[in-house]
Amino acid sequence: MVCALGAAVCFGTATVLQAMAARAAAGGSGGEAALLLRAVREWRYLAGLALDGLGFLFQIAALRSVPIYAVAAALASSLAVTAVVAARLLRVRLSRTEWAAVGVVCAGLAMLGLSAGTEGEESGPRALPWVMLGAAVGVLLLGPAGRRLSGRGRALVLGLGAGLGFGVVEVAVRLIDSLAPSDLLTDPAVYALLLGGGAAFLLLTSALQRGSVTTATAGMVIGETIGPALVGVVWLGDRTREGLGWLAVLGFAVAVAGALALARFGEAPETAPAPEPAPEQPAGPPAP
């Protein structure tokens, strides 16, 4: 669970940096790939990617030791980290409701930490890696489909697609059994991980730059938590500690609900514009 929380800290801090870079890269032509190429020229996006890489290592370690549902909820809590970082470093003011949501996320994670058992030892159906690869291809195809929409519909599709892509990564990590090069080259779970992760980054970058980022982030939280958690419980043997299943369900729901309440922090806070100078008053008639 410590590794899962470490991943949340890295991802939460990276969110602000990547969102600011995505906004700075706006205005050019092309689709998601062109937007990503412009964004990587921003040092903030590169710093965010470095934190994402470190967070991914923490995520892999967590997925190898605790159930997917606990890791997924912890990753969703990265929005609470983003909110706190924005409040402390970027001087963004949080309302009492938002501070309460941060507390709710922490309470949910505490429940999960107390109730989560060890990771399941089942490998699932033999077709599951191929299903994950197919899901990754579907996520990639959501990009062109999302561009045809507008407003909140566009943001929701892109954000949900990004969440599903990250969910594919979570499941694929658990499905990779051997790290031998010959096995990796023939394992569909490896290609699902690479394709799902890459597609998720493309869609998330586009979602951060276009439409309602709050809606996109909410869609991402839903996509990366519920589906992977169900796969872990139904097919991979993830369980809770004896008699604490109810606490795990409650903690998962509380943590995800708190993250959704903080969805606006998927967007980097914008700097308030400088006040315009007051117009000059015309000079009055000269005194007699």
Side-chain angles (χ1 to χ4, degrees), residues 23-220:
R23 288 299 175 92
S29 59
E32 278 76 13
L35 173 62
L36 180 61
L37 290 176
R38 293 194 299 272
V40 295
R41 300 172 185 173
E42 294 280 334
W43 69 267
R44 289 167 295 193
Y45 197 87
L46 295 177
L49 285 180
L51 285 174
D52 280 332
L54 180 59
F56 183 63
L57 295 178
F58 282 133
Q59 179 183 355
I60 292 176
L63 288 168
R64 291 294 184 177
S65 58
V66 295
I68 292 179
Y69 63 80
V71 178
L75 295 182
S77 74
S78 64
L79 291 176
V81 176
T82 301
V84 173
V85 170
R88 298 300 183 186
L89 300 183
L90 301 179
R91 298 181 180 179
V92 175
R93 298 191 63 178
L94 276 72
S95 66
R96 292 182 179 179
T97 301
E98 289 167 336
W99 277 118
V102 172
V104 165
V105 169
C106 295
L109 292 177
M111 295 179 198
L112 282 172
L114 291 172
S115 61
T118 57
E119 67 163 334
E121 297 180 356
E122 299 178 17
S123 58
R126 296 184 63 180
L128 188 56
W130 292 102
V131 172
M132 289 298 101
L133 181 57
V137 174
V139 169
L140 186 63
L141 296 178
L142 277 177
R147 285 201 303 268
R148 298 176 183 177
L149 302 175
S150 61
R152 291 187 177 274
R154 179 191 187 104
L156 182 61
V157 168
L158 293 175
L160 184 60
L164 292 174
F166 291 132
V168 168
V169 171
E170 294 171 18
V171 177
V173 168
R174 284 280 298 275
L175 296 178
I176 298 174
D177 294 325
S178 174
L179 298 180
S182 58
D183 293 330
L184 291 176
L185 290 174
T186 58
D187 191 346
V190 174
Y191 297 100
L193 186 154
L194 297 175
L195 185 59
F201 271 115
L202 288 174
L203 268 63
L204 180 58
T205 301
S206 180
L208 289 173
Q209 190 269 330
R210 297 182 174 121
S212 170
V213 179
T214 299
T215 302
T217 304
M220 183 185 69

Side-chain angles (χ1 to χ4, degrees), residues 240-267:
T240 64
R241 294 182 182 179
E242 188 67 27
L244 294 179
W246 65 271
L247 186 61
V249 173
L250 180 60
F252 181 86
V254 167
V256 173
L260 290 174
L262 295 168
R264 80 176 180 93
F265 288 97
E267 179 178 11

